[in-house]
Amino acid sequence: MTKCTDILQPLPNEISLSKVLHALSDPVRMEIVLKIAKAGQVACGAFDIPMPKSTLSHHFKVLRESGVVTSRREGNELMNSLRSEELEERFPGLLKSIIAAGSR
Amino acid sequence: MTKCTDILQPLPNEISLSKVLHALSDPVRMEIVLKIAKAGQVACGAFDIPMPKSTLSHHFKVLRESGVVTSRREGNELMNSLRSEELEERFPGLLKSIIAAGSR
DNA sequence: AAGACGGTTCGAAAATAGTCGAACCATCTT
DNA sequence: AAGATGGTTCGACTATTTTCGAACCGTCTT
């Protein structure tokens, strides 16, 4: 029985470029990633994106399953952060340049 | 009347990050881009991808409309090249790191 | 134990994207 | 002008993605 706190995410060497690019090709998800990049870590609820939470949850799921974001439970909420080191090792420079591009 | 040689592509400052990432998130298109990156320029017909030419043509269209690839007629065929300089100016380091990531 | 709060999961509907064959357009060759 | 070659366009179909409400799960508080 999987609990909702079990977070599905690929191992570092299983992170797929296609999936990463697809995950980041959505403007909403990009916005999420930029905010996490700026703040270091952000809880799911801290995004004031006008959209039902089920939809937002879906976007987080895509980000997790692509290997871009990792989430851990912190008391009541889920804290999200970027898997910067793992991504940097697997695809050097990629995340940084995408974040820079998205910040323009 | 638009002729089939009229190539639709965005102006440099109209290139959208989302569209670029989406274009490159498809493995077939990534393969195309990698081959162009390696060879400098490649005609559409030079890709031995086992797929009807209408489908291949569609992928080239996506690549053009995203601003990643430009095509010009050269006699009988269409020569494709990357819009490296324009992309570099708009999103510094982006294309390079994606190509590096895709080459692994 | 009962709320309240933060998120996920589960359908199902709507929108978007990919694939393909057939017909067509543009250029070069004969 | 007639083929041949290289690509595009069109329409239809399929597959994937996005979106949403409703129900649910996990944690904290009371």
Side-chain angles (χ1 to χ4, degrees):
Chain A
M1 214 10 204
T2 48
K3 299 186 301 173
C4 89
T5 46
D6 290 340
I7 276 95
L8 295 168
Q9 57 176 41
L11 295 172
N13 53 338
E14 282 172 339
I15 296 176
S16 136
L17 179 59
S18 300
K19 286 185 183 171
V20 168
L21 296 181
H22 171 254
L24 296 174
S25 73
D26 180 283
V28 173
R29 291 192 291 261
M30 191 59 176
E31 187 182 338
I32 292 174
V33 166
L34 289 179
K35 182 158 183 173
I36 300 178
K38 214 178 297 183
Q41 50 175 31
V42 187
C44 292
F47 296 85
D48 49 354
I49 300 177
M51 148 180 299
K53 45 184 194 166
S54 59
T55 303
L56 208 49
S57 181
H58 162 75
H59 286 305
F60 277 104
K61 185 180 182 183
V62 173
L63 286 170
R64 266 175 227 127
E65 290 181 350
S66 71
V68 173
V69 162
T70 188
S71 313
R72 70 179 181 290
R73 190 166 274 282
E74 199 149 291
N76 206 10
E77 46 189 22
L78 280 188
M79 281 304 293
N80 303 282
S81 47
L82 301 182
R83 296 180 65 183
S84 307
E85 299 80 3
E86 285 137 302
L87 281 168
E88 178 62 21
E89 181 176 353
R90 180 137 176 80
F91 303 128
L94 181 68
L95 185 59
K96 203 171 74 175
S97 64
I98 293 180
I99 287 174
S103 304
R104 310 205 50 194
Chain B
M1 225 353 215
T2 48
K3 299 186 300 175
C4 89
T5 46
D6 291 339
I7 277 94
L8 296 167
Q9 58 176 41
L11 295 172
N13 53 337
E14 282 173 338
I15 296 177
S16 136
L17 178 60
S18 300
K19 286 185 183 170
V20 168
L21 296 181
H22 171 255
L24 295 174
S25 73
D26 182 282
V28 174
R29 291 193 291 262
M30 191 58 167
E31 188 181 338
I32 292 174
V33 165
L34 290 179
K35 182 158 183 173
I36 300 178
K38 214 178 297 182
Q41 49 177 30
V42 187
C44 292
F47 296 85
D48 49 354
I49 300 177
M51 151 178 297
K53 46 184 193 167
S54 59
T55 303
L56 210 48
S57 180
H58 162 73
H59 286 304
F60 277 105
K61 185 180 183 184
V62 173
L63 285 170
R64 268 175 225 126
E65 291 181 350
S66 71
V68 173
V69 162
T70 188
S71 312
R72 69 178 182 290
R73 191 164 274 280
E74 199 150 291
N76 205 10
E77 46 189 20
L78 280 187
M79 282 303 295
N80 303 282
S81 47
L82 301 182
R83 297 179 66 182
S84 307
E85 300 79 5
E86 285 136 303
L87 280 168
E88 178 62 22
E89 181 176 353
R90 179 136 176 81
F91 303 127
L94 182 67
L95 185 60
K96 205 171 74 175
S97 64
I98 293 180
I99 287 174
S103 304
R104 310 204 53 182

